[in-house]
């Protein structure tokens, strides 16, 4: 407890386990890994340390960095897993499915202008709007700082379904304009493998963000060599490293 609190005061840390022998392990703290997220436990501890006047300037700096790069926001604890989505597809592969990834436009501006607590409320508001805009059989999950995933089954015109969801998310929260960019990958185009489906939707999202944001695009073969916003890419470049938020 005390060791964790002290570590949090002086930066953002990860708990690590190291094997000493076949029966003994040592737990220690290290600098946070690049893709690691803050846990709710550590957020609560950090807030308590701030209230007690124990948080250092360095610790505050690490928290601000985490909020800016999306590492402060852990995935939605109610989010379904990749395996569950893949199982859903495999249970009835003859049906039509689509995976959409959406990104809140100008989120950094919201944080910079109104503060990070306001930014947190905006994300909560958007998550609620997404839940309200999808059907009971659809799946929604948070997959990054300000990125969300929607998985749905559809019949008929997919664009009508997507357009309805997209329009339901536009609006304002207090003085901040809610605008989203969305990339969609139908299984009919991208196939039934989850990883490929996710990456294809991410490539479509990248295309939207490079084209001006505030719209949606469906994945097509012309995007095959396109970079992505949040999913890994083969050459090791940071996902979407030159895409402005």
């Amino acid at each position: 407890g005390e060791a964790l609190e002290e570590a949090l005061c002086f930066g953002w840390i990860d708990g690590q386990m190291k094997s000493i022998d076949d029966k003994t392990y040592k737990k220690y703290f290290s600098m946070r890994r690049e893709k690691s997220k803050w846990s709710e436990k550590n957020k609560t501890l950090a807030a308590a340390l701030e209230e007690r006047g124990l948080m250092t300037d360095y610790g505050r700096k690490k928290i601000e960095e985490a909020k800016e790069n999306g590492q402060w926001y852990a995935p939605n604890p109610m989010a379904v897993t990749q395996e569950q989505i893949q199982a859903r597809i495999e249970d009835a592969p003859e049906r039509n499915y689509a995976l959409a990834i959406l990104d809140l436009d100008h989120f950094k501006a919201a944080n910079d202008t109104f503060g990070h607590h306001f930014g947190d409320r905006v994300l909560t508001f958007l998550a609620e709007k997404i839940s309200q805009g999808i059907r009971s059989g659809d799946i929604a999950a948070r997959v990054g700082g300000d990125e969300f995933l929607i998985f749905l089954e559809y019949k008929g015109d997919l664009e009508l379904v997507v357009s309805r969801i997209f329009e339901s998310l536009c609006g304002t929260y207090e003085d901040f304009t809610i605008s989203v960019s969305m990339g969609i990958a139908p299984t009919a185009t991208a196939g039934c493998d989850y990883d490929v489906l996710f990456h294809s939707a991410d490539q479509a999202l990248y295309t939207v963000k490079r084209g001006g944001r505030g719209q949606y695009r469906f994945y097509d073969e012309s995007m095959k060599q396109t970079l992505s916003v949040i999913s890994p890419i083969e050459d090791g470049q940071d996902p979407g490293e030159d895409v402005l938020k």
Side-chain angles (χ1 to χ4, degrees):
E2 291 182 2
L4 175 57
E5 289 186 0
E6 183 175 355
L8 284 172
C9 282
F10 291 92
W12 183 31
I13 51 81
D14 261 334
Q16 302 286 337
M17 297 291 286
K18 181 179 180 180
S19 173
I20 296 175
D21 54 42
D22 59 352
K23 295 182 179 179
T24 309
Y25 290 84
K26 177 176 70 174
K27 183 173 183 179
Y28 64 97
F29 299 120
S30 67
M31 294 305 294
R32 182 68 64 166
R33 292 163 294 177
E34 181 181 355
K35 294 185 181 297
S36 182
K37 306 287 186 181
W38 272 77
S39 69
E40 292 303 318
K41 175 184 176 181
N42 284 358
K43 288 181 185 179
T44 300
L45 280 174
L49 291 167
E50 186 67 66
E51 290 178 2
R52 290 158 55 194
L54 299 176
M55 182 59 70
T56 65
D57 288 341
Y58 185 77
R60 293 187 190 97
K61 178 182 177 183
K62 287 298 181 181
I63 289 173
E64 293 305 307
E65 288 177 358
K67 288 181 177 180
E68 288 178 2
N69 65 25
Q71 293 171 320
W72 177 258
Y73 309 100
N76 187 336
M78 296 182 65
V80 296
T81 64
Q82 169 182 337
E83 289 76 16
Q84 287 172 303
I85 292 177
Q86 186 68 61
R88 173 93 172 264
I89 296 173
E90 292 176 357
D91 282 345
E94 74 282 357
R95 296 180 180 176
N96 293 316
Y97 304 98
L99 189 149
I101 300 175
L102 63 96
D103 178 296
L104 179 62
D105 296 330
H106 309 295
F107 179 58
K108 186 177 184 300
N111 280 331
D112 293 345
T113 304
F114 303 106
H116 292 294
H117 291 300
F118 178 85
D120 291 345
R121 296 200 303 274
V122 169
L123 290 175
T124 300
F125 175 79
L126 181 60
E128 291 173 352
K129 294 283 284 183
I130 292 171
S131 295
Q132 294 167 4
I134 63 175
R135 300 160 302 183
S136 59
D138 297 337
I139 293 169
R142 188 155 153 202
V143 293
D146 60 334
E147 291 94 12
F148 295 83
L149 171 154
I150 297 172
F151 177 79
L152 55 88
E153 180 183 342
Y154 67 95
K155 297 178 181 179
D157 191 344
L158 174 59
E159 183 153 12
L160 289 177
V161 178
V162 170
S163 177
R164 177 185 58 77
I165 295 172
F166 184 84
E167 294 298 329
S168 74
L169 302 179
C170 299
T172 59
Y173 177 78
E174 296 183 11
D175 294 324
F176 180 69
T177 299
I178 301 292
S179 169
V180 299
S181 298
M182 183 186 294
I184 309 100
T187 52
T189 304
C192 293
D193 179 80
Y194 175 89
D195 289 329
V196 176
L197 200 61
F198 186 97
H199 188 62
S200 299
D202 203 7
Q203 288 175 307
L205 174 60
Y206 183 95
T207 302
V208 171
K209 294 186 75 71
R210 294 301 292 170
R213 297 179 282 202
Q215 54 187 311
Y216 61 84
R217 288 282 302 274
F218 292 93
Y219 174 81
D220 61 49
E221 288 297 312
S222 70
M223 302 174 189
K224 203 158 192 172
Q225 302 303 317
T226 303
L227 297 180
S228 59
V229 177
I230 58 177
S231 60
I233 51 181
E234 292 180 358
D235 62 7
Q237 180 182 359
D238 286 342
E241 64 179 11
D242 63 343
V243 178
L244 297 175
K245 292 290 184 183

